[in-house]
Amino acid sequence: QNLHLTSQAVLERAQKQGRSKCPKCNSSRMFYCYTCYVPVETVPTREIPVVKLPVKIDIIKHPNETDGKSTAVHAKLLAPEDVTIYTYPCIPDYEEMKHEIALIFPGPNSVSVNDIPLTLRKKVEKKAGGKKDDDSLAEPVLKYAKVEPASDGDLGALHSRSTIRNTGLKKIIFVDSTWNQTNKIITDERLQGLLQIELKSRKTCFWRHQKGKPDTYLSTIEAIYYFLVDYHRELLKEKYEGQYDNLLFFYSFMYKLIKNARSSAHKE
């Protein structure tokens, strides 16, 4: 698809130079360090796009998930202020925030992105019913937040600061794991009672497709990207103009690299 991406010239140069040092741990890496969540020395931070997200994102990574193969780090690199990665079982207690958090996971009780505000509102009302003295919970969930308009020249700010409609949702949780390992995390008591969201069916472009699984099983960065696109269109009711495309900055470049390498191998 036609993505609105920042120039990937910095990645092209880094690829030609080969592996480089992580400025934090000195490990040899390509493009970025997947343990420190920073670009390597040949990829200056100033040339990496920064994406501002409309909601905070927590990624819960299975301990057996290989760091170097995970795309979760892409989200942390490109939206550092809005993304936090936790390694299971070290995850937060979401008990007090259950009425403003959702978990991306298909299941019998999952709802669509469109249904988020109504479902969260019911959770707020249920919580308020048990705590009548808490005025903050009696406030309406659906309201509009005032955001300063961006200057014409600041495309990144224009993308991120468009007037955001408050949907009641403050945080989304994604699980970074193979499907066979997911159950242990999803059944953790700390994640019970959370609103579950099922994404629209889309085909993955991931080169490490899980054997025996349908091609609708997305990589973590794809799932994050598609959720945000749907959220923007269906809940914020705004025209999507590539605001979150740069989340695929590394992913799309690596996809093209691998596709070209496989194409060359077939020709030989």
Side-chain angles (χ1 to χ4, degrees), residues 142-239:
L142 295 176
K143 51 189 176 183
Y144 289 82
K146 266 192 175 180
V147 182
E148 290 298 316
S151 62
D152 292 339
D154 190 348
L155 186 62
L158 180 65
H159 284 168
S160 65
R161 293 181 194 166
S162 53
T163 304
I164 290 179
R165 180 184 177 193
N166 191 333
T167 60
L169 183 69
K170 291 187 178 177
K171 183 171 285 187
I172 285 282
I173 302 170
F174 290 83
V175 175
D176 184 44
S177 164
T178 62
W179 278 93
N180 294 334
Q181 296 173 338
T182 302
N183 194 53
K184 187 175 182 181
I185 296 176
I186 291 300
T187 54
D188 188 287
E189 61 179 6
R190 291 167 290 182
L191 300 182
Q192 302 314 298
L194 291 177
L195 170 63
Q196 289 190 5
I197 308 296
E198 184 160 1
L199 299 178
K200 289 178 182 175
S201 184
R202 289 172 168 111
K203 289 187 177 181
T204 184
C205 292
F206 198 29
W207 48 92
R208 291 193 179 97
H209 180 61
Q210 297 176 44
K211 289 180 181 177
K213 301 298 179 185
D215 59 5
T216 50
Y217 280 31
L218 304 174
S219 65
T220 301
I221 196 66
E222 286 176 314
I224 292 171
Y225 170 74
Y226 284 128
F227 165 77
L228 290 169
V229 171
D230 290 346
Y231 182 86
H232 194 87
R233 287 173 173 157
E234 297 177 26
L235 290 191
L236 301 185
K237 303 294 184 186
E238 294 185 21
K239 184 179 179 183

Side-chain angles (χ1 to χ4, degrees), residues 1-256:
Q1 55 182 321
N2 295 320
L3 298 171
H4 294 78
L5 297 171
T6 296
S7 169
Q8 293 171 317
V10 62
L11 299 182
E12 290 166 6
R13 290 195 302 271
Q15 195 238 334
K16 287 173 184 172
Q17 292 173 47
R19 296 167 76 87
S20 179
K21 279 186 179 182
C22 166
K24 284 192 174 182
C25 69
N26 286 325
S27 296
S28 177
R29 303 278 191 251
M30 181 64 100
F31 304 130
Y32 56 81
C33 179
Y34 46 76
T35 47
C36 300
Y37 309 142
V38 293
V40 293
E41 291 176 351
T42 54
V43 181
T45 305
R46 66 181 180 277
E47 295 187 53
I48 300 298
V50 175
V51 186
K52 183 63 184 164
L53 307 184
V55 292
K56 298 294 183 184
I57 288 178
D58 280 2
I59 300 172
I60 300 175
K61 191 169 72 69
H62 193 282
N64 294 343
E65 186 72 9
T66 307
D67 288 340
K69 293 182 178 181
S70 169
T71 61
V73 63
H74 296 183
K76 181 63 180 173
L77 282 161
L78 297 162
E81 292 182 10
D82 297 318
V83 176
T84 307
I85 299 177
Y86 298 96
T87 301
Y88 188 82
C90 299
I91 65 173
D93 184 349
Y94 297 108
E95 185 62 39
E96 294 302 312
M97 295 177 65
K98 281 187 176 178
H99 58 290
E100 50 194 26
I101 294 181
L103 171 68
I104 301 294
F105 193 75
N109 299 317
S110 297
V111 303
S112 68
V113 170
N114 248 335
D115 294 327
I116 290 174
L118 179 62
T119 314
L120 286 179
R121 178 153 197 158
K122 287 178 181 176
K123 281 183 176 289
V124 171
E125 289 168 355
K126 186 177 179 182
K127 187 178 175 70
K131 297 181 179 179
K132 301 263 185 189
D133 58 331
D134 190 341
D135 293 335
S136 65
L137 293 171
E139 292 178 7
V141 176
L142 295 176
K143 51 189 176 183
Y144 289 82
K146 266 192 175 180
V147 182
E148 290 298 316
S151 62
D152 292 339
D154 190 348
L155 186 62
L158 180 65
H159 284 168
S160 65
R161 293 181 194 166
S162 53
T163 304
I164 290 179
R165 180 184 177 193
N166 191 333
T167 60
L169 183 69
K170 291 187 178 177
K171 183 171 285 187
I172 285 282
I173 302 170
F174 290 83
V175 175
D176 184 44
S177 164
T178 62
W179 278 93
N180 294 334
Q181 296 173 338
T182 302
N183 194 53
K184 187 175 182 181
I185 296 176
I186 291 300
T187 54
D188 188 287
E189 61 179 6
R190 291 167 290 182
L191 300 182
Q192 302 314 298
L194 291 177
L195 170 63
Q196 289 190 5
I197 308 296
E198 184 160 1
L199 299 178
K200 289 178 182 175
S201 184
R202 289 172 168 111
K203 289 187 177 181
T204 184
C205 292
F206 198 29
W207 48 92
R208 291 193 179 97
H209 180 61
Q210 297 176 44
K211 289 180 181 177
K213 301 298 179 185
D215 59 5
T216 50
Y217 280 31
L218 304 174
S219 65
T220 301
I221 196 66
E222 286 176 314
I224 292 171
Y225 170 74
Y226 284 128
F227 165 77
L228 290 169
V229 171
D230 290 346
Y231 182 86
H232 194 87
R233 287 173 173 157
E234 297 177 26
L235 290 191
L236 301 185
K237 303 294 184 186
E238 294 185 21
K239 184 179 179 183
Y240 185 70
E241 297 177 319
Q243 286 88 335
Y244 314 117
D245 284 8
N246 270 327
L247 284 176
L248 301 175
F249 180 75
F250 290 105
Y251 187 82
S252 62
F253 185 78
M254 293 163 80
Y255 171 77
K256 284 182 285 188

